[in-house]
Amino acid sequence: MIALAVQISLVMMGASVLLAFIRLAKGPTTSDRVVAADTLATNVLGVIALFAIQTHNKLFIIAVLALAILSFVGTTVYAKFLERGKIIE
Amino acid sequence: MSDALAAILLLGGSFFMLVASIGLIRLPDVYCRMHAATKATTFGMGGILLGASLIFQSTTVTTQALLAIFFLFLTAPVAAHLISRAAYKRGPDLCDDTTHDAYGKYLEGRKAEEESPQRYGDA
Amino acid sequence: MVWILAMIIGVLVTVASYLIMQRRIIQVVLGMAVLSHAANLMIVASGWVGDGKAPIVPKTGGPLDPFAYVDPLPQAMVLTAIVISLAVTAFLLVLAFFTYRKFGTDDIDEIRRLKG
Amino acid sequence: MNAFFPTFVVLPLAVGTFLFLVRKNRALQESVSLIALLANLIFAGVLLNATADGTIFVHRMGLWPFPYAIVLAADRLAATLLCLSSSIVGACAVFARSYLTDEQRKEAFHPLLHFLLMGMQGCFITGDLFNLFVFFEVMLISTYALLGFYYNLDQLEMAFKYTCLNLIASAFFLLGVSLLYAQVGTVNMADLAVKIKLLGPTPLMVVTALVFVFVFSVKAAIFPMHLWLPSAHSISPTPISAILAGVLVKVGIYSIIRCATLIFPAAFLILQPGLILLCLLTIAMGALGTLPQTSIKRILAYSTINQLGYIAFGVALLSQAGLAAAVFYIVGHAYLKSAMLLGAGLNQKLTGTVDLEEMGGMMGKAPFASLLMLVGFLSLAGFPPFTGFFAKLFVLQAGFSQGAVLATGIALGFGVISLYYNFTTYQRYAWGTGGGEVGAAGAGIYGSVAFLSAFAVVFGLGAYWLFEWAQLVAAQITNPELYIAAMRDLG
Amino acid sequence: MRSLILRTIAPAVLHLTLLFSMFLLLYGHNQPGGGFIAGLMTSVGIVLQWIAVDEEEGRRRFNWPYEGIFLAGLALSTLTGVWGYIKGAYLKSSIYRFELPFIGDVELFTAFLFDVGVYGVVVGVVMCIFTNLCEKETQES
Amino acid sequence: MPLATLAFTIATIWIFLHGSATPGHFFVGLIMALLIIRFLKKSYYQDRAFFRIGSYFRYLRSFTWELLIANVQVLKIVLSPKLSIRPGIIPYKTVCKTPLGVTMLANSITLTPGTLSIDVSDDDETIFVHTLDIDHPDEVAEGIRKGLEEPIVGAVE
Amino acid sequence: MSDARDYAIITEAQNAKPGIRFTENHSRRALVLDNTFIIVFFPFAAALIIPWFAERFRKHAAWFAMVAPLVSTWALYNLYGEWAAGGRQTFTRAIAWVPAANVEISFMVDGLSLMWGLLVAGMGALIVLYSHWYLHEHEALGRYYGFLIAFMGSMLGVVFSDHLISLFIFWELTSITSFFLIGFWSDRDASNYGATKAILITGSGGLAMLGGFLLLGDLGGEWRLSQLVLMPDIASQVSLGVFLLIILGAATKSAQWPFHIWLPNAMEAPTPISAFLHSATMVKAGIYLLSRFYPILGAHPAWGYVVTGFGMTTMIAGGLLSLRAYDLKAILAYGTISQLGLIVTFLGYGGKGAIIGATLHLYNHAAAKAAMFMTVGIIDHEAGTRDVRLLGNLKKLMPRTHILAVIAALSLIGIPPMGGFITKEMLYEVSLHPGGPGSWSWFWPYLTVFAGVFTALYHLRFLSEPYWQAAEGEAPKHPHDPPMGMLAAPAILVALALAFGLAPGLIENAIVAPAAQATLGGGAKVELHLGLWHGINTPLIMSVITMALGLALYFGFAHVKKVLDAVATAWGKAPAPNRIYDGFVNWLREGTWELLMLIQDGNLRRYMRWMFVLPTIAVLYLVWRLDWGANVFPQGFAGASFLLVVVALMIAGAALATALFRRRIPAILALGTMGYGIAGLFLLLKAPDLALTQIMVESASVVLFLLVFYYLPELKPVRVSAAKKIRDWGIAIGLGVCTTLVMAAAMNTHQFRTIADYFMRTSKPVAGFKNVVNAIIVDYRSYDTLGEIAVLVIAGIAVYALLRLVGEMKCDH
Ligand code: NA
Ligand code: NA
């Protein structure tokens, strides 16, 4: 049952990655792209968690934690840059 | 029982992630998309991580998953705030259906204030 | 699997080399970054032989089946390569920045004093 | 002696780190740097002496067993190049002492110099292909920095291009490593040699060898990968140019030699016609490139390409005679070209320019400097009794005696251009009426140029000893079994 | 540009990041992690904090001698190698077991010390590049 | 928050990271905490305030409920065949005084139905909220006040 | 390529040691006192110290320099005695320099080398003597005498060399030293031009010769001339190419048409140098080489055609050019070319008579022509010009010089009782009985007479225009006879020419005959009985005819000149050798720039294209030869999952987006997305460490990129033509396809278990690590990691150092 659920979830995640990617490619504004990238990063988080379940490797959860922290940093930096054209005032 | 719950959590989480992405495509402007992207993804990730901790039945995974969830909830709104504010300042680009724009008025006021000489004349 | 990996690498190399041949310094730097990704993927791919577990072995002793795990050596090599390319990319960025500041242009075609 | 190895990496690493720490105390920095370079040279000499009887020393990093550890190995070839690099870097450091004047900019020079030395020496002593990559990177990033650190507009442009081209080469290097690892699953050079021999020269292995040829060609400036060289060697600060031309390009050649003799001997035989063609193109490119130039350093840079063509030609002959000639050439050219580039720097000190158009009559104005340059140009042009003559002679002999008459003939034919550019450059420099007053240069500058120039004569008149050594080197490297056995037995 | 929200949240993120990087460093031998990853994690956390506050404030808070840190890291790694050299071959690692109060049995790998050196180098270099560029950026504007 | 509390919090999180609550690990966590606090010494002069661990369960419960509703609402909007939204930005005057309070409120607004904090005004008093579907701005404000602000004020102010 | 493709296993190099070798048993003590060594090496040793003495005692510089030729001559005298006492057997001395590579300095003593040695050393002494008066005290005497003596040493080395490489080495040394002597007045453009031309042409010939020598040495396995002459069948094995290469060396050195062009320009040298190098010795080195190789290659089928062809063309061209020249030195230089052509013609024809004739003529020419050059030097010195149009009536103004010039010229024209008459008669004699192969024997007498007429004509001109006729213009100085010392050297030479005519027995069998004998080789016996008077015979009649024709043409020179001018005008349109040379050199200087710009135009993008295209082509070629069925398809798409496809698409899409996005932030964003995708891929490939690192690096890179990119301008849409786009994409796709194919093939070619098995097995039990990747990084391969953190540190220092310059930085634009 779990395996099936994971498979289905993965398909949904795959679809959502593709959708987010479409937004990334389409824009139209850079802000849209940043949002899309942020979503994409979160999607990757989900994929990693599901993959951890699929391969039954609990060590991958650490990657989730790390990616969560870092995608936040990335988004922050982009946002700062977008607003002022620079990231340090 | 716990398996079923885990499966539901996983499916639900993934579903919300999907919803977020669909929202990203369908909603009209960056602020609306942000709604979907922030709420649904955070929620979805929470579901998936909880499901994972149920499946692994391991303290480490559970605590780490909880930390991750905590962290996501801590940061997602901040990211949303930063991006939307930046988006607004680059050029509001609000969709045509938008009814109110209090922020725009606020920014205009602040700008006028900064430019007015009286502010410094008081001293 | 083999083909998918190979194709990803091919696409990255294509994109990288295209970018590197463009006029803007930015594009060149981006191209270099893509190229380093491609190179890293190549090494990981070289260790791929099929399915296996991540190379983290159990605590308990006893005979261990190396076939059950993926090859750790390429991973270690890529780790090294990634960090090196980070260092070099950082340096290249600074260099690009200085070049731009000094020449006042980021058009490669215009930055060519050193002919011959 | 086996235990002695890590010195060549750890000493420059530690010294470089220390020198950066004490960067504010310039006097201390310089003296420690020079003492360390001297020590390095002595160690290299000791190692060279120890390898003379044919012993190949190995050091297993971390005492892990043979193909699994990173094994450092020094045979005669490696020891030779170690001596070469440390002596030339030492001479350049002495030169730089009075040459580089801007105190502010000097603070990073000595540390980077030691890191560069670390990179080069690491390349020479490693017996592991991936480790070679790592030390290539150490070496390269040091040069990127050294090229740019004393910068002006031209240096920036050049450093940027140099960095870009080398980054591409690094990516290709990784491609090569991955192709090899996929096929034979190892990165230890001796282990690679054994397994590749078992596999035979499959088309894929030939492609792999080709990838490595391209990679090392960038470092060794073999056509068409030489494109970075003229600017890099002519624009960079003179002591750096001298190291680049003297030793750095030799690292590329060294790696090609290792590939040709140890790792892919069979594949190289298949690639041989192409290699020889590339060598001839390199010779042509270098020779013709010198002609329209007016800067001495630029002429010397193209002449380096030209000479590298001959060296690579010796290697591409894939015979013991050819390799002996190449080794002889490598050593001779290293000292010669460093001497000449430092000589160009000396003249820059004297006249304030390296442009021949603004120079002239140096024979009367600065007789000793022009004598040093004369020795260099004669040797470069391949005139007896200087080292350049013997180097070319041995390569040509090897080529002719192997029956590669047409290719060798073409290589010989480009000697005409070499003759022309060397003599006209000397004329424009030493004769004529151009140029203004000349200034003075320090004893350190004259001393280091004279020291390096002396090798042109020493290895010319004493060609026997160098050639005997080159033959010993060639005998050892053309017999990869020795190298493999040394690693396997001690490993 | 200032953001109250970011300023308030960033310290929490920083603490978490630092702690997490320590975790990655300390347990890198048994799970994904190690000196590089931990070093990068630390640097990225500090960079975020720096972004959240302004340049002057960032410099005040994180005015650490980054050059010293990377040199020390390099020295530590090199010395670990030299320690191995004393033990037989350069970079030969040894394992020492200790009984520590409160903590219990501890295995000290010299390889771990090496990894700590790596950590120092990564943090030092990334932050050195970052601070230098920041300085440039503020000077320019 | 006093540094001692902070140290214990950090040590607890360390336990969470490691997933095993032995005294040894806790002790290591404390060492880590001390290290971190030592290094961040210069960062603590204004950001000491953290939340009072004692009384935030009410907030948590209320927040969780709002969160669920929020996601269902997003679901409805996104998946409905015809997009019928009337978005807008409204100001929300908060009573929270501390930066922590304002931040928590703003974040909670973002995570709950139909609203998203875009910015906080310079005087830290007004939160600008983007709302997906505005029929009555007052209702939105009331929802925020009831569902989020009150628990937050109770927890951290 | 050779068959020996496998590396031979050789444990030690050849154990030949450098050292000295004699054909006879000499003791080591003999080394220092050995005459051959003294002859050749003493001048070099002297050349090193002479500058010091010369600069210090400027007035007496010549006397220090004089020591060297005198010592060499003395040693030569001793050597001659030694050789004569040894029954005139050839003997050798060798210094093995690099024996393993067949490099040795070796000397061979036989009739030919002795004769040439005498010529060079004796002439050297006279030139030094003459130079003493010729050069001003303030000139660079040290350099002058140093190079002069070094040249003499080199020339002696050439004529004594036994080993081919030894010969080449000294040969090149003569080129270098002559370069410096020609360019002695280095601030004159003409000197520079002449020196370059000389070194380029003779040096190239030298290189050709080297090629020939190397091939010849390989062919026979023998590098010593003394041994090669003993291999009678070697000529038949030598290919035409090798033959031509060697002849090319000789032809360039002895200024054979069309390589003669360097010689007139080389006349920019001080006159003693011209006399020494360009009439007496160096230009004759080519003749020497032909003489040396006559016994070796004389039997080669091409010898006759090639050598004779060179000789005759040169003789005619030189004569014509001489007649049109106005500079006295040019008249002599072209005359020299013509005479050399004559000698070469005879050498080419071969046979005993021809060789003897050539040898004799060479000897006579050296003495007489050098004397004439010296008289020209005197005129130049005294009158300040060498232009015959500005000179006149010197017969009255410089009577002593005039006498010397007349005797020397008449000797070459062949008027009794000068030595020239004997050699001229000899040439006529042999032209009647050439004795060599070939069927053109009827042609030789006419040719020789023709040459004689030419010789008479330009020498008469040489005498009449400055000495006998009135000047057309005004000379800068009023000339008069020089001090007696300056006349000493030409006087001695003239006396020798006279002595040879009056008493040929002094040298005929002592010096000339052995030389001719050595040239003929193969144990030929040569006995000469020369005399001024042999009765009225055909040669005498030929002499008379020559004289008559010569005088007739001389008196009708105005008409001759018209014809010559017409010929010259017609010829001027043809690609004359000089114009080809100048064109070539100009192309070298300026034309190569365009060639260079095709490749090295400073455009990074072009460099990149070069770097991408060539490997691609090469790889494609090899890929084309792969066995695809076996190599690639076995695993195909096996193991691919849905997730992998998604991630792959994401990576590929992001990568393409990076390339296609026109704005920088989206491009960086796409790059970052790609990085995250790759991190995901790493995870799918079971590499959690990598995934983590990748994520971290990506984030750090984003920060750095954005920090820096703030300054870089927005990407503006650049107009790029469709063709260029297609080209760039074409190159990029080519490289990408290559990489894909090669990687796919490699991934299907796992032939061995990897060494990683060991790491897996020992990681926990031995190293103590559960995370094997980490174990590899910090333990198994920590040395790599050490290098890597060194890279990081260096990058840090580099950025630090670069950014320290912030304050100094000024924007240049
Ligand atoms: Na000049
Ligand atoms: Na590593």
Side-chain angles (χ1 to χ4, degrees), chain A residues 10-11 14 17 21 24-25 30 33-34 37 40 44 47-48 51 55 60 62-63 66-67 70-71 77-78 81-82 84-88, chain G residues 642-643 646 649-650 653-654 657 661 663-666 668-670 673 676 680 683-684 686 688 692 695-696 699 702-703 706-707 709-710:
Chain A
L10 277 176
V11 171
V17 164
F21 194 81
L24 179 77
T30 308
R33 295 199 166 111
V34 174
L40 213 52
V44 171
V47 171
I48 295 172
F51 190 66
T55 57
F60 289 177
I62 290 177
L67 183 54
L70 289 163
S71 77
V77 174
Y78 276 112
F81 190 85
L82 286 183
R84 269 294 162 85
K86 56 194 293 188
I87 59 178
I88 298 288
Chain G
F642 169 73
L643 207 52
V646 170
L649 286 176
M650 177 175 159
F661 277 160
R663 298 161 63 80
R664 56 195 168 154
I665 304 299
I668 300 172
L669 208 55
T673 310
Y676 284 123
L683 217 52
L684 295 185
K686 314 293 168 53
L692 276 180
I695 290 164
M696 310 277 175
S699 309
V702 162
V703 174
L706 290 180
L707 264 174
F709 274 52
Y710 167 64

Side-chain angles (χ1 to χ4, degrees), chain C residues 3-113:
Chain C
W3 276 102
I4 289 177
L5 276 179
M7 280 179 196
I8 295 175
I9 292 167
V11 169
L12 293 193
V13 168
T14 305
V15 166
S17 44
Y18 177 77
L19 276 169
I20 289 168
M21 286 184 288
Q22 297 310 297
R23 275 176 72 166
R24 300 295 175 149
I25 287 183
I26 303 177
Q27 287 169 308
V28 174
V29 175
L30 287 174
M32 293 297 170
V34 177
L35 192 63
S36 70
H37 285 315
N40 296 338
L41 271 184
M42 288 171 196
I43 295 202
V44 177
S46 76
W48 187 86
V49 281
D51 222 4
K53 287 185 273 187
I56 294 172
V57 296
K59 192 179 279 177
T60 49
L64 183 132
D65 176 21
F67 285 89
Y69 297 89
V70 299
D71 197 334
L73 184 56
Q75 296 188 10
M77 295 197 291
V78 173
L79 210 46
T80 303
I82 289 180
V83 179
I84 287 178
S85 69
L86 169 74
V88 177
T89 307
F91 182 76
L92 187 68
L93 265 170
V94 176
L95 210 53
F97 160 73
F98 269 81
T99 313
Y100 167 69
R101 295 294 292 171
K102 286 288 263 185
F103 281 84
T105 176
D106 75 329
D107 189 338
I108 301 272
D109 282 359
E110 287 169 30
I111 307 175
R112 32 187 278 210
R113 293 154 57 94

